[in-house]
Amino acid sequence: MNFEYPAEAEAFRNELRAFLEAELPAWWTNLWVNDDRIIPFTLEFCQKMAAKGWLAMAWPKEYGGGDADIWHQNVVREEMWGRGEPRGPQFMNLNYIGPAIMMFGTDAQKERYIKPMAAGEVIWCQGFSEPDAGSDLASLRTRADDTGAGFKINGQKIWTSYAAQAQYCFLMARTDPNAPKHKGISVFLVDMQTLGITVRPIQSMGGPIEFHEVFFDDAEVPYDTLLGPLNQGWRVAMSALEGERAGVGFAGLYGLQLEKLSQFARESQDISGEPLSHRADVRSKLVRLRALNRALRLLMYKVVANQTGGDSVLVDSAIYKTLAGDMSMQIAHLAMDVAGPRGFCLENDPMVTLGDGAFRWWTHALPV
């Protein structure tokens, strides 16, 4: 069995890398740093990708895509994450919100929401987690009550990435409080300018204000914001989450980080004057992490192949995301170990190591 990408996909990878070298500015490190230039740049970058047909290349042509095979799209995912995700927060609507609308949306919803995504013109956020409903998502308490003219939403979401920049929210809310908790939920496509929505940033040691609280106080939305059947939002949300888990090119990001770690270990010395790469513990961890990254990539192959063949298995994508989160922390801990005190320097410090800094890797690994 061939475990490598098709030759055409690898040729496209080289073309995409040349594009990235030409388009990424010298100040770019990654999406998750403090810099007011980040979001405007990502919007401009996405529109350039869209003009080349690369932003949503695996989507059907009728929705602004290119009908490319999933392996070309996976090259995009790996290379984008390997370069700090210059698509910005739009990777969310590209990977799972857009496909969910294609699967469950009406013709009018597809026309309204999908094409702006494919053109790189719009940012979405995901309104799932709540203060008392994170890992147990079905326990959410945000309500959407039928008013006879639409729905009135009340509740709170938390850890909502890029809510302050987003034009729309992919929102889960309870529409039948008397139904079993997995049954009485619906998904809504909510305009973030709706009256009654308040967004507050959450300060974190991760640096940029990526996370937000979102409050809904009698926020009224029309009936046509309902995505999929009423009270069947759990199925809609799980379909979206499968795309979210499999849609991140973790192997590309971790491969680049491991290359930086290996180079740093070869070029740096410990207190005895020996290269860090001569330390048995560093060498063994690097070898193990490279093997794990290979396994992660192969698991991604399986998930994507199953999705392509219509034989999708939710547990596989969940395992992929869990393994990726564990790997992220292992890499970050090793980076902090070999970097020593300089590991706490941030990306704008002249003493920073490993590009954007070991500490930045560690803080970003926490929510993966």
Side-chain angles (χ1 to χ4, degrees):
M1 182 177 292
N2 182 11
F3 288 111
E4 301 302 328
Y5 277 64
E8 297 84 358
E10 288 297 349
F12 169 65
R13 188 190 300 275
N14 292 332
E15 187 179 359
L16 181 57
R17 285 179 174 175
F19 172 78
L20 287 166
E21 287 299 322
E23 294 296 336
L24 292 183
W27 56 264
W28 175 265
T29 54
N30 64 61
L31 173 62
W32 305 280
V33 298
N34 274 319
D35 196 319
D36 292 338
R37 296 172 290 182
I38 293 288
I39 297 300
F41 167 74
T42 62
L43 284 166
E44 179 184 346
F45 179 85
C46 281
Q47 290 174 37
K48 288 182 179 179
M49 284 198 69
K52 296 180 74 68
W54 293 350
L55 189 62
M57 62 188 309
W59 286 9
K61 288 185 178 179
E62 62 187 290
Y63 299 129
D67 270 333
D69 65 72
I70 194 63
W71 301 110
H72 280 71
Q73 182 63 31
N74 254 44
V75 167
V76 173
R77 292 167 176 171
E78 287 192 339
E79 294 303 314
M80 292 300 111
W81 277 77
R83 297 300 296 268
E85 191 48 272
R87 294 176 300 178
Q90 293 192 62
F91 75 85
M92 293 187 286
N93 46 273
L94 293 167
N95 286 343
Y96 58 95
I97 297 175
I101 295 174
M102 291 181 209
M103 184 178 298
F104 296 100
T106 64
D107 289 342
Q109 287 173 331
K110 294 172 186 176
E111 180 66 27
R112 179 180 179 184
Y113 298 116
I114 294 296
K115 288 184 179 179
M117 292 183 185
E121 298 170 349
V122 63
I123 294 174
W124 284 69
C125 62
Q126 173 186 300
F128 280 20
S129 294
E130 298 186 4
D132 297 314
S135 57
D136 183 15
L137 183 58
S139 294
L140 63 85
R141 294 186 294 183
T142 294
R143 288 275 297 270
D145 296 310
D146 193 331
T147 65
F151 295 92
K152 184 179 290 185
I153 303 174
N154 284 280
Q156 177 189 357
K157 298 295 178 177
I158 198 168
W159 312 121
T160 307
S161 298
Y162 305 106
Q165 293 84 23
Q167 287 83 48
Y168 296 99
C169 180
F170 190 76
L171 178 73
M172 290 180 70
R174 189 162 300 284
T175 44
D176 185 353
N178 299 314
K181 67 180 187 178
H182 290 85
K183 301 296 184 181
I185 295 171
S186 299
V187 170
F188 297 89
L189 308 174
V190 178
D191 188 327
M192 290 295 288
Q193 296 302 311
T194 302
L195 291 176
I197 297 179
T198 303
V199 177
R200 297 178 185 169
I202 299 174
Q203 298 284 349
S204 75
M205 65 180 179
I209 300 176
E210 174 187 351
F211 300 116
H212 302 82
E213 295 177 287
V214 184
F215 299 88
F216 298 85
D217 298 297
D218 289 338
E220 297 188 16
V221 299
Y223 284 123
D224 64 6
T225 60
L226 174 67
L227 179 65
L230 184 70
N231 296 324
Q232 295 187 33
W234 188 256
R235 181 164 65 97
V236 177
M238 292 305 100
S239 173
L241 284 177
E242 183 180 18
E244 184 247 356
R245 292 163 180 159
V248 177
F250 289 114
L253 172 63
Y254 300 159
L256 181 64
Q257 290 179 336
L258 290 171
E259 283 296 330
K260 289 182 177 180
L261 272 172
S262 297
Q263 182 177 352
F264 182 82
R266 289 193 296 268
E267 296 175 352
S268 303
Q269 299 177 341
D270 61 18
I271 57 174
S272 68
E274 287 292 316
L276 289 172
S277 58
H278 289 186
R279 277 174 45 182
D281 60 327
V282 172
R283 294 171 67 90
S284 64
K285 287 176 182 177
L286 282 170
V287 169
R288 183 175 185 275
L289 286 169
R290 285 188 179 276
L292 279 174
N293 199 42
R294 178 66 171 168
L296 184 70
R297 197 180 198 205
L298 293 177
L299 180 56
M300 177 270 295
Y301 281 7
K302 179 183 179 184
V303 172
V304 171
N306 285 343
Q307 289 178 337
T308 305
D311 188 25
S312 181
V313 181
L314 279 172
V315 68
D316 286 339
S317 60
I319 292 171
Y320 171 76
K321 181 67 181 292
T322 301
L323 177 59
D326 180 64
M327 266 204 71
S328 182
M329 284 306 305
Q330 290 190 53
I331 291 172
H333 282 308
L334 179 57
M336 290 293 287
D337 180 27
V338 299
R342 290 173 62 192
F344 289 96
C345 297
L346 298 182
E347 65 278 350
N348 57 354
D349 192 302
M351 294 290 288
V352 71
T353 60
L354 303 167
D356 47 348
F359 181 73
R360 187 67 75 204
W361 292 11
W362 186 76
T363 54
H364 185 249
L366 294 175
V368 169

